[in-house]
């Protein structure tokens, strides 16, 4: 769906303050993929996100969208990539929920009938419909971030990037956002890139890309990432509790495979128990 | 130090009434006409006539008069002093003399009329902002300013700025509160009356607010661009404002009142 070829990026290009942030990033992204982008502060994650969105142009290298897909797009009637930032307050422009979701479509000059339908569909599918006339400044943090996502989703992006979008949210709101992401991935085949420093969020994704000083140092399945303690150490991730517990259990011969979530571990133990008795 | 923004005078009260549903442009024009009428000419009859417009209007809009009264509170001294000044400085039949000051019948009349006029003017302004959502109000203002874009004045930018400011009023208010709390936690004393600590306190709030405003502006620009916003570009609207029969009636009535003002 999307390919980055050897992308370089400098801030303040061709000035004495030139700062090289991306140094030869290549990656490809498929429909409905769910990726975690991790890396230390200043490694260039946000910059990469802006490159993918087209907010910044690479100093060198190319960003290519697969061509057959671009044919079915009506130019100007949707965005390809949506970007969600950390603070939802800075991404909401209107007084009510419904108006804010419509904001992007208004900019794309969507005809009224179509706009109404899309706004309603989006709000209903994200369970925000009964809040449509709610003043935006009275929503909870999680609801605000969900609204920010809804406002992007209504524009039918192929890819959604969340730049530390859940950092300021409490546990329940994080769950809400995660549910929303999973829903989009499954029903709309939206590719998700989440920039995160939380191991719990990494576990829910499928693939991990580790950016280090502007280079991709690691790009593999989540399951292999979680077993790689060297890489995990590099960015200061702790081994998630269920992984270390299951490694301990493997060591004692109780189970045979690493489990990543509570449910998985419980199921595995139950299965072993029933199998043995 | 910061007033609660929800109690800021003139904050929108979302109710369901005929006046709430009026076309915002019509409402704005009516307000301007009524205010100019009051400024152009005044006497007892005119004041009575305008009061007979204002009071039922509040009734119809379902806004309790206490809301109106609350918004006068900060102005009560101004009204008081200006009426006292008129009481004693208007020439005419003296009722009572204290030294060189004399209380006159004309003075009583004039001070009553002038303070009522001030109350009426504020009343009409309040009615408009209480019954029109900020977004609609801004749109009405910018559509009335449209002709000026002919003169190459940045009307679009101005109305965008206005609507964003209104949108971020509550956000900025909350932020100020948060910063204030964290400064108190660091030992700032906001109840002190000394000028020096007052200045210090204001600075300790303003600086972090400027910092976060810059970050906010950066985020805003990104978020708007992502959602396809381009300044001055054509947009469609989810909620078109319509012009109904009732708008026409209200507009005509207001124009009649405005014209009558000249002959009273
Ligand atoms: N607008 C800008 N102008 C100049 N330099 C910038 C700009 N934005 C970021 N940088 C610099 O580019 C480098 C990478 O920044 P970036 O925001 O992409 O990192 P990041 O991985 O997102 O970090 P974090 O985890 O802190 O969000 C940093 O050294 C930063 O100082
Ligand atoms: Mg970042």
């Amino acid at each position: 769906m999307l390919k980055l070829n050897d992308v370089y990026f400098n801030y303040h290009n061709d000035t004495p303050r030139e700062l090289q942030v991306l140094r030869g990033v290549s990656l490809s992204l498929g429909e409905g993929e769910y990726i975690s982008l991790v890396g230390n502060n200043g490694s260039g994650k946000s910059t990469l996100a802006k490159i993918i969105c087209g907010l910044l142009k690479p100093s060198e290298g190319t960003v290519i969208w697969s061509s057959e897909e671009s044919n079915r797009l009506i130019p100007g009637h949707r965005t390809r990539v949506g970007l969600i930032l950390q603070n939802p307050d800075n991404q909401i422009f209107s007084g009510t929920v419904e108006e804010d979701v419509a904001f992007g479509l208004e900019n794309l000059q969507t005809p009224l009938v179509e706009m109404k339908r899309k706004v309603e569909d989006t709000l209903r599918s994200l369970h925000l419909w009964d809040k449509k006339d709610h003043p935006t400044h009275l929503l909870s943090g999680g609801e605000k971030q969900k609204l920010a996502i809804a406002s992007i989703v209504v524009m039918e992006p192929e890819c959604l990037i969340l730049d530390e979008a859940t950092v300021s949210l409490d546990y329940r709101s994080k769950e809400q956002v995660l549910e929303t992401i999973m829903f989009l991935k499954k029903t709309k085949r939206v590719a998700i890139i989440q920039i995160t420093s939380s191991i719990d969020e990494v576990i829910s994704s499928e693939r991990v890309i580790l950016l280090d000083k502007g280079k991709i140092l690691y790009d593999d399945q989540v399951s292999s990432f979680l077993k790689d303690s060297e890489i995990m150490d590099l960015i200061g991730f702790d081994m998630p509790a269920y992984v270390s517990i299951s490694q301990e259990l493997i060591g004692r011969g109780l189970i045979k495979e690493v489990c990543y979530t509570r449910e998985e571990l419980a199921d595995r133990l139950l299965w072993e128990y029933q199998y043995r008795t | 130090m910061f007033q609660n923004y929800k109690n800021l005078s003139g904050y929108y009260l979302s109710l369901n009434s005929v006046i709430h549903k009026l076309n915002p442009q019509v409402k704005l024009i009516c307000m301007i006409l009524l205010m100019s009428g009051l400024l152009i000419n005044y006497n007892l009859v005119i004041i009575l006539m305008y009061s007979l417009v204002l009071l039922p209007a509040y009734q119809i809009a379902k806004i309790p008069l206490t809301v109106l009264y609350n918004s006068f509170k900060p102005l009560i001294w101004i009204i008081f002093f200006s009426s006292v000044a008129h009481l004693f400085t208007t020439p005419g039949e003296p009722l009572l003399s204290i030294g060189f000051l004399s209380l006159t019948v004309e003075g009583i009349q004039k001070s009553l009329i002038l303070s009522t006029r001030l109350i009426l003017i504020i009343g009409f302004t309040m009615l408009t902002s209480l019954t029109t959502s900020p977004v609609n109000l801004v749109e009405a203002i910018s559509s009335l300013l449209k002709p000026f874009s002919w003169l190459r004045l940045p009307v679009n930018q101005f109305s965008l700025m206005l609507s964003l400011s209104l949108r971020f009023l509550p956000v900025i208010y909350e932020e100020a509160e948060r910063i204030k709390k964290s400064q108190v936690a660091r030992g700032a004393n906001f109840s002190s009356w000394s000028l020096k600590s007052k200045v210090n306190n204001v600075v300790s709030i303003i600086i972090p607010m400027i910092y976060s405003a810059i970050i906010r502006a950066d985020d805003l620009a990104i978020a708007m661009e992502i959602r396809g916003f381009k300044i001055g570009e054509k947009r469609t609207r989810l909620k078109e404002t319509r012009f109904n029969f009732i708008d026409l009636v209200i507009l005509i009535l207001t124009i009649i009142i405005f014209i009558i003002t000249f002959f009273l």
Side-chain angles (χ1 to χ4, degrees):
Chain A
M1 180 176 87
L2 169 74
K3 255 194 160 59
L4 265 67
N5 286 324
D6 214 17
V7 167
Y8 283 77
F9 183 80
N10 308 332
Y11 282 108
H12 312 292
N13 214 353
D14 297 326
T15 66
R17 284 159 64 211
E18 187 171 290
L19 176 70
Q20 194 172 49
V21 176
L22 297 180
R23 310 156 201 255
V25 172
S26 302
L27 62 88
S28 63
L29 178 69
E31 232 177 68
E33 261 200 284
Y34 184 3
I35 296 180
S36 292
L37 180 56
V38 299
N40 293 320
N41 291 132
S43 55
K45 304 179 297 286
S46 300
T47 307
L48 181 59
K50 285 176 196 162
I51 295 257
I52 296 175
C53 291
L55 289 170
L56 296 173
K57 294 268 164 292
S59 315
E60 262 175 70
T62 49
V63 180
I64 302 169
W65 292 86
S66 53
S67 50
E68 68 271 20
E69 279 178 359
S70 63
N71 287 341
R72 70 177 162 86
L73 297 176
I74 315 149
H77 275 258
R78 58 185 291 184
T79 24
R80 290 204 106 128
V81 193
L83 177 65
I84 310 281
L85 306 170
Q86 184 180 331
N87 186 345
D89 271 325
N90 298 350
Q91 305 167 67
I92 296 173
F93 308 114
S94 318
T96 70
V97 169
E98 191 184 24
E99 282 167 19
D100 199 64
V101 173
F103 179 83
L105 296 177
E106 290 177 338
N107 293 332
L108 299 179
Q109 299 180 45
T110 313
L112 190 63
V113 182
E114 194 186 334
M115 173 150 52
K116 279 197 168 138
R117 182 178 54 76
K118 282 185 176 172
V119 169
E120 180 169 346
D121 286 353
T122 309
L123 285 175
R124 279 192 194 280
S125 67
L126 298 183
H127 308 293
L128 282 168
W129 180 246
D130 49 333
K131 290 233 158 65
K132 77 183 169 78
D133 293 316
H134 215 70
T136 46
H137 70 272
L138 296 180
L139 296 171
S140 75
E143 286 169 335
K144 278 183 188 167
Q145 199 59 294
K146 223 163 111 176
L147 171 60
I149 296 177
S151 306
I152 293 281
V153 166
V154 77
M155 299 170 83
E156 298 170 21
E158 292 165 55
C159 172
L160 186 63
I161 306 181
L162 300 116
D163 193 346
E164 321 220 353
T166 58
V167 170
S168 56
L169 302 183
D170 58 24
Y171 181 75
R172 244 183 63 84
S173 306
K174 277 185 182 145
E175 295 267 280
Q176 273 188 346
V177 173
L178 181 67
E179 264 169 39
T180 313
I181 292 176
M182 286 307 197
F183 172 79
L184 293 175
K185 177 179 143 56
K186 286 204 188 91
T187 60
K188 309 231 158 109
R189 304 287 297 144
V190 177
I192 312 279
I193 301 179
Q194 62 177 13
I195 298 179
T196 180
S197 50
S198 143
I199 188 73
D200 296 322
E201 284 182 7
V202 171
I203 289 177
S204 54
S205 67
E206 296 156 354
R207 179 177 151 197
V208 183
I209 295 178
L210 169 63
L211 208 57
D212 185 55
K213 301 193 187 88
K215 280 187 182 143
I216 291 185
L217 206 66
Y218 188 90
D219 182 353
D220 206 344
Q221 302 296 314
V222 166
S223 48
S224 357
F225 174 78
L226 292 172
K227 286 176 206 148
D228 198 329
S229 50
E230 212 173 299
I231 288 290
M232 299 263 288
D233 273 350
L234 188 74
I235 42 170
F237 277 5
D238 280 334
M239 188 69 72
Y242 296 109
V243 175
S244 45
I245 291 174
S246 52
Q247 275 171 349
E248 184 70 32
L249 292 175
I250 292 169
R252 301 192 183 193
L254 284 169
I255 56 175
K256 291 188 187 68
E257 275 171 60
V258 180
C259 304
Y260 302 103
T261 64
R262 187 178 54 188
E263 288 82 11
E264 234 180 288
L265 185 59
D267 285 349
R268 176 68 56 182
L269 281 172
L270 189 65
W271 189 84
E272 290 285 344
Y273 175 77
Q274 284 168 343
Y275 179 76
R276 287 175 192 206
T277 54
Chain B
M1 178 182 298
F2 296 94
Q3 263 182 304
N4 190 335
Y5 66 90
K6 279 168 200 151
N7 302 335
L8 277 182
S9 49
Y11 203 79
Y12 176 51
L13 261 183
S14 174
L15 298 170
N16 199 358
S17 82
V18 180
I19 297 195
H20 281 81
K21 282 187 204 137
L22 280 183
N23 181 313
Q25 273 155 280
V26 168
K27 241 186 286 185
L28 202 60
I29 293 174
C30 290
M31 183 194 82
I32 293 169
L33 282 178
L34 291 170
M35 274 173 52
S36 341
L38 279 166
L39 289 173
I40 287 165
N41 197 357
Y42 67 90
N43 58 44
L44 201 59
V45 185
I46 292 176
I47 295 294
L48 266 177
M49 179 173 76
Y50 279 83
S51 307
L52 284 178
V53 174
L54 185 79
L55 292 176
Y58 270 77
Q59 204 69 45
I60 295 170
K62 299 179 192 161
I63 293 172
L65 285 175
T66 45
V67 175
L68 184 61
Y69 169 72
N70 282 339
S71 59
F72 284 131
K73 269 193 201 151
L75 299 171
I76 256 171
W77 288 108
I78 298 177
I79 297 174
F80 177 75
F81 281 119
S82 80
S83 7
V84 169
H86 284 299
L87 270 183
F88 291 100
T89 55
T90 315
E93 191 85 8
L95 277 181
L96 185 73
S97 298
I98 312 162
F100 62 95
L101 293 172
S102 55
L103 182 67
T104 64
V105 180
E106 286 81 358
I108 295 178
Q109 231 179 36
K110 195 172 174 188
S111 81
L112 270 178
I113 290 177
L114 286 180
S115 44
T116 319
R117 183 175 78 155
L118 191 58
I119 292 175
L120 285 174
I121 290 177
I122 299 169
F124 283 121
T125 326
M126 291 278 301
L127 184 66
T128 314
S129 58
L130 280 167
T131 60
T132 320
S133 84
V135 178
N136 286 339
L137 197 58
V138 167
E139 249 157 47
I141 292 172
S142 66
S143 74
L144 292 186
L145 288 177
K146 261 288 137 57
F148 291 98
S149 55
W150 265 63
L151 300 172
R152 294 179 170 271
L153 290 179
V155 173
N156 279 323
Q157 282 87 329
F158 177 75
S159 35
L160 176 68
M161 195 187 75
L162 211 58
S163 66
L164 283 183
S165 319
L166 282 173
R167 154 74 186 93
F168 282 101
L169 206 62
V171 176
I172 289 169
Y173 165 78
E174 271 161 29
E175 192 162 86
E177 277 293 293
R178 212 190 53 234
I179 293 172
K180 186 178 156 187
K181 276 194 198 121
S182 71
Q183 300 294 21
V184 168
R186 289 187 189 133
N189 179 7
F190 282 90
S191 48
S192 163
W193 283 90
S194 90
L195 186 65
K196 188 165 168 255
S197 69
K198 274 225 177 316
V199 170
N200 275 341
N201 288 339
V202 170
V203 171
S204 77
I205 290 186
I206 295 287
I207 300 291
M209 285 195 66
I210 291 177
Y211 174 76
S212 77
I214 292 171
I215 295 195
R216 188 188 304 287
D218 212 28
D219 278 7
L220 265 178
I222 292 175
M224 294 184 100
E225 198 174 334
I226 284 285
R227 282 162 76 185
F229 182 82
K230 288 202 192 77
I231 200 150
E233 205 94 320
K234 256 217 178 80
R235 315 175 66 217
T236 45
R237 305 295 325 205
L238 178 69
K239 294 213 170 112
E240 291 292 353
T241 47
R242 272 190 294 273
F243 189 85
N244 293 325
F245 183 65
I246 181 100
D247 295 307
L248 186 68
V249 173
I250 298 279
L251 191 59
I252 290 175
L253 282 178
T254 312
I255 292 175
I256 291 173
I257 290 172
F258 180 71
I259 294 173
I260 292 177
T261 312
F262 287 89
F263 299 101
L264 285 174

